[in-house]
C-alpha cells in the first residue's frame, strides 16, 4: 500500500510531483483543489464554494472531508493513493488519521519546503493546460511553444486564483490553518519527511522524494 500525503504551501510543487508519482507508482492522484474545481464547473457545488475558492480561502471541512472519504472509498485506491492538498486544517488531519488508522494504512507525509519569495515568483508565473491539467511556469518550465500545452496543444490559461491578492490570501490561509497541521502530524508521531524543494528542478525533487520514500524507480527505456 503506497499512501503518500504531499504537504506544502501553494506553489510548492505538490501538483507537479503528484503527477510524476502517480505515473511511477500507478496509484491515483487525489487533488482536492482539482476535485473542487471540477465540481464547481459541473455545477455540483454552488456559488458559495466557487467564491470561497476565488478569494483564496479554504472551503469547509465538512465538504472536503466528505469528498475525500467518498473518493478514498473507490476501488482504485486499493494499492494506495497520493493525496495533494489534503489535509489542510487540523480537523481534516484528524479525520484522515482516523481513516488511515482504522484501516491499518501507514502513510508517509512528504513536506515540500520552499522559500516564500520563490513561492511568490512561481505562483505569479503559473500557467495550466485546461484540458490535461499539466502545469507550466514561465520562469522555470515554459512550454515549448509559448502559450500552448506541449502534450495536447491546448491554449494555456492562468487559474483564477493565481492573481496577486488571491495568491497573498492563499499563502495567508496556509500560514494560519495549514502550517500547524505539519507541526501536529510530527507531534503525534506520523511518518514525515521534509525536503528542500526550493532550488531543484521538478525531476530532481522527484528523485529525492523517491529516495526518501524508498520507491525503486523503473529503469528508463533503452534508446
Ligand atoms: P493551491 O495548493 O495551489 O492553493 P489547490 O488547487 O490545491 O491550490 O486548491 C485551490 C483551492 O481549493 C484552495 O485555495 C481552497 O479554496 C480549495 N481547497 C483545496 N483543497 C482544500 C482543502 N483540503 N480544504 C479546504 N479547501 C481546499
Amino acid at each position: 500500500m503506497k499512501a503518500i500525503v504531499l504537504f506544502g504551501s501553494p506553489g510548492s510543487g505538490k501538483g507537479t510531483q503528484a503527477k510524476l508519482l502517480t505515473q511511477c507508482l500507478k496509484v491515483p492522484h487525489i487533488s482536492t483543489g482539482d476535485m473542487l474545481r471540477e465540481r464547481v464547473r459541473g455545477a455540483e457545488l454552488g456559488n458559495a464554494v466557487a467564491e470561497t475558492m476565488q478569494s483564496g480561502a479554504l472551503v469547509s471541512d465538512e465538504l472536503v472531508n466528505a469528498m475525500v472519504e467518498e473518493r478514498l472509498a473507490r476501488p482504485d485506491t486499493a494499492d494506495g493513493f497520493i493525496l495533494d492538498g489534503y489535509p489542510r486544517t487540523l480537523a481534516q488531519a484528524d479525520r484522515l488519521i482516523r481513516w488511515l488508522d482504522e484501516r491499518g494504512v501507514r502513510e508517509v507525509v512528504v513536506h515540500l519546503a520552499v522559500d516564500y519569495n520563490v513561492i511568490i515568483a512561481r505562483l505569479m508565473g503559473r500557467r495550466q493546460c485546461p484540458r490535461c491539467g499539466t502545469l507550466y511556469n514561465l520562469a522555470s518550465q515554459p512550454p515549448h511553444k509559448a502559450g500552448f500545452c506541449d502534450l495536447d496543444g491546448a491554449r494555456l490559461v492562468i487559474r483564477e486564483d493565481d492573481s496577486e491578492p488571491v495568491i497573498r490570501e492563499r499563502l495567508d490561509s496556509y500560514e494560519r490553518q495549514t502550517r500547524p497541521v505539519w507541526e501536529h502530524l510530527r507531534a503525534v508521531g506520523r511518518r514525515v519527511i521534509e525536503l528542500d524543494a526550493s532550488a531543484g528542478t521538478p525531476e530532481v525533487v522527484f528523485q529525492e522524494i523517491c529516495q526518501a520514500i524508498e520507491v525503486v524507480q523503473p529503469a528508463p527505456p533503452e534508446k
Side-chain angles (χ1 to χ4, degrees):
M1 180 86 177
K2 300 153 200 147
I4 298 173
V5 178
L6 286 177
F7 191 91
S9 95
S12 59
K14 297 187 300 292
T16 303
Q17 294 305 324
K19 284 201 169 57
L20 294 170
L21 281 165
T22 202
Q23 284 162 12
C24 168
L25 301 177
K26 314 268 184 275
V27 295
H29 169 197
I30 302 180
S31 155
T32 45
D34 286 348
M35 286 164 81
L36 287 165
R37 276 185 291 277
E38 219 165 90
R39 290 179 185 212
V40 163
R41 258 200 308 272
E44 277 168 62
L45 293 177
N47 281 340
V49 172
E51 276 169 26
T52 304
M53 291 176 72
Q54 278 158 19
S55 76
L58 297 184
V59 308
S60 78
D61 288 333
E62 291 71 31
L63 171 64
V64 178
N65 283 333
M67 200 176 72
V68 171
E69 269 184 33
E70 196 185 301
R71 181 63 188 87
L72 287 176
R74 299 217 323 236
D76 64 344
T77 62
D79 294 333
F81 48 83
I82 294 150
L83 280 176
D84 160 13
Y86 183 91
R88 257 168 147 109
T89 65
L90 289 170
Q92 293 176 15
D94 284 339
R95 184 75 167 259
L96 176 65
I97 288 173
R98 201 172 342 124
W99 189 96
L100 293 164
D101 290 350
E102 276 169 10
R103 288 160 184 79
V105 176
R106 281 198 78 205
E107 85 291 1
V108 51
V109 186
V110 180
H111 181 185
L112 303 178
V114 180
D115 182 80
Y116 189 81
N117 291 323
V118 174
I119 292 277
I120 298 268
R122 280 191 192 171
L123 290 175
M124 307 271 276
R126 189 152 82 166
R127 301 290 181 275
Q128 188 169 31
C129 174
R131 201 175 294 159
C132 68
T134 302
L135 288 167
Y136 297 88
N137 200 289
L138 301 188
S140 56
Q141 255 194 306
H144 293 307
K145 182 173 171 211
F148 296 92
C149 180
D150 291 347
L151 303 183
D152 58 24
R155 185 182 286 277
L156 302 179
V157 297
I158 302 181
R159 245 167 56 179
E160 279 181 36
D161 57 355
D162 278 343
S163 71
E164 192 174 345
V166 179
I167 288 173
R168 303 252 169 224
E169 176 55 35
R170 284 161 61 207
L171 292 174
D172 253 31
S173 309
Y174 176 77
E175 290 301 326
R176 271 183 286 117
Q177 293 169 280
T178 308
R179 190 184 288 283
V181 172
W182 174 247
E183 310 303 335
H184 178 66
L185 294 172
R186 289 167 53 134
V188 300
R190 310 308 290 189
R191 279 200 297 173
V192 294
I193 294 168
E194 187 165 43
L195 296 175
D196 177 3
S198 288
T201 61
E203 289 71 26
V204 167
V205 174
F206 177 60
Q207 292 302 334
E208 287 177 6
I209 295 177
C210 290
Q211 275 167 15
I213 60 177
E214 293 170 329
V215 172
V216 181
Q217 276 267 109
E222 281 176 27
K223 293 238 167 84

